[in-house]
Amino acid sequence: RLLATDSGIEVVGTAPDPVAAERKLAALAPDVLTLDVEMPRMDGLAFLERLMHVRPMPVVMVSSLTQAGCETTLRALELGAVDVVAKPRVDVRERLEELARELVDKVKAAAHARVRPRRTASGEVRPASPAGPAYRPSDAVVVIGASTGGTEALREVLVALPPSTPGIVIVQHMPEGFTAAFARRLDSLTAVRVAEAADGDRVLSGHVLLAPGNRHVRLVRDGAAVRVAVVDGPPVNQHRPSVDVLFESAAAVLGPSVVGVLLTGMGRDGAQGLLALRRAGARTIAQDEATSVVWGMPREAIALGAAERVLPLDRVAGAILTLAASVRAPR
């Protein structure tokens, strides 16, 4: 019913479980599938993994905000799901309009997504010594924004970074409750330390802070230190956390001491912020179209002239290190 409120979407069928869904998918050939994390008769992840092997297609996960639901959804994103919508646990009636807008937007974006099935092994562990050239330590601060397709894009970038990487602050559009599980997952895979940001956390070399769902994150100066402020406030570009909020604070507080990176995602959040960074003398990167799951946010930034470099995903980590070594320390 929520999807049917938009004239651009036709719901061609529903299924009570994956077994029924498999039969209907072949006959109906939909553009997008929404898949509940918790389903009867077949494990949802097993179904998704099989689907992405035999009939790769855009899938939007619908998940409850339980720890198990979050972990399962993150695994689904690794397997190739495009995005996630969280089912509200409270105030369901009051949140229906907001939920409908989010669901419609994400299904429409998924219809144009580039699907890349992944088979990340569940037994991955933190690499002891990432391969690659050694880079001069830098006092730069790296800020990264991402949305649709960003969970796997961030994993690919962060896994390639050494422990000496400058401090990183990330905004990834994710529902409240998912970011803590996502941070733990990244922390288990990378040589840098990853944690969900808390108000007052210091930005440190070798550490990554991930904005918590439903809270904005800004950079602030505290003497010689750079810290994050985790704050409330209205959504910006329909998002909380917003990439623009982070980027614009970085431009105002640190200017040329920043490397800004805008990765895959729908919409335009982060485009104006990346432009503010470039105008402040920061070094800026946008992901290219060919490797973006949804080329929305990077495209908007490029159109504004905000991106100094437009790069495929596999070159972003190296560019972060190269550019970070070229900027001056915050004064």
Side-chain angles (χ1 to χ4, degrees):
R1 288 196 298 269
L2 294 179
L3 287 170
T5 62
D6 189 280
S7 60
I9 295 176
E10 178 187 3
V11 181
V12 295
T14 62
D17 58 64
V19 175
E22 281 190 314
R23 294 195 297 266
K24 290 196 172 186
L25 283 171
L28 298 172
D31 299 301
V32 180
L33 170 70
T34 64
L35 178 63
D36 201 304
V37 168
E38 299 161 349
M39 300 198 55
R41 299 186 67 189
M42 183 189 294
D43 175 72
L45 289 179
F47 169 64
L48 178 64
E49 189 164 16
R50 187 159 71 187
L51 175 69
M52 299 308 281
H53 178 68
V54 301
R55 191 185 188 280
M57 64 178 298
V59 175
V60 175
M61 302 301 297
V62 182
S63 174
S64 61
L65 288 173
T66 62
Q67 181 173 343
C70 292
E71 297 289 351
T72 301
T73 299
L74 290 174
R75 177 65 180 142
L77 292 168
E78 291 175 355
L79 289 170
V82 172
D83 214 331
V84 56
V85 174
K87 293 185 288 189
R89 289 180 292 180
V90 295
D91 302 326
V92 176
R93 187 178 300 277
E94 291 76 8
R95 284 204 57 213
L96 275 181
E97 183 178 345
E98 176 187 347
L99 181 63
R101 182 176 62 247
E102 179 185 5
L103 187 60
V104 165
D105 287 347
K106 289 185 174 182
V107 165
K108 284 186 167 182
H112 301 286
R114 296 171 181 83
V115 178
R116 294 182 178 85
R118 287 177 168 83
R119 305 190 182 282
T120 307
S122 59
E124 283 179 306
V125 295
R126 180 190 307 280
S129 177
Y135 290 85
R136 177 173 62 84
S138 169
D139 292 313
V141 172
V142 181
V143 290
I144 303 177
S147 186
T148 315
T151 55
E152 285 303 286
L154 287 168
R155 180 190 61 79
E156 184 168 333
V157 170
L158 295 183
V159 162
L161 296 175
S164 59
T165 298
I168 298 175
V169 183
I170 296 173
V171 166
Q172 162 70 46
H173 295 157
M174 287 186 101
E176 183 177 8
F178 283 75
T179 44
F182 182 44
R184 289 192 299 270
R185 177 63 174 157
L186 290 175
D187 187 60
S188 73
L189 301 174
T190 61
V192 291
R193 305 301 313 205
V194 185
E196 188 180 55
D199 188 49
D201 279 350
R202 189 173 178 182
V203 180
L204 298 170
S205 177
H207 288 68
V208 178
L209 296 173
L210 179 68
N214 204 34
R215 305 290 300 280
H216 290 306
V217 165
R218 294 188 174 96
L219 295 186
V220 296
R221 293 297 296 267
D222 179 16
V226 179
R227 299 185 185 274
V228 294
V230 179
V231 299
D232 294 317
V236 175
N237 300 316
Q238 300 183 15
H239 294 288
R240 187 174 53 228
S242 164
V243 181
D244 271 339
V245 169
L246 171 62
F247 281 11
E248 288 170 6
S249 72
V253 171
L254 298 173
S257 300
V258 178
V259 177
V261 183
L262 195 57
L263 300 177
T264 175
M266 68 177 181
R268 58 180 299 110
D269 189 31
Q272 288 291 342
L274 199 71
L275 180 61
L277 281 169
R278 190 167 193 190
R279 286 175 172 170
R283 312 300 297 271
T284 58
I285 301 168
Q287 187 175 349
D288 71 356
E289 180 177 9
T291 63
S292 294
V293 173
V294 175
W295 200 55
M297 289 158 42
R299 180 188 63 223
E300 295 290 338
I302 293 164
L304 292 174
E308 175 187 352
R309 299 191 181 186
V310 179
L311 298 173
L313 186 61
D314 63 1
R315 291 179 54 196
V316 169
I320 287 173
L321 297 171
T322 299
L323 294 179
S326 72
V327 306
R328 69 172 185 261
R331 295 183 181 273

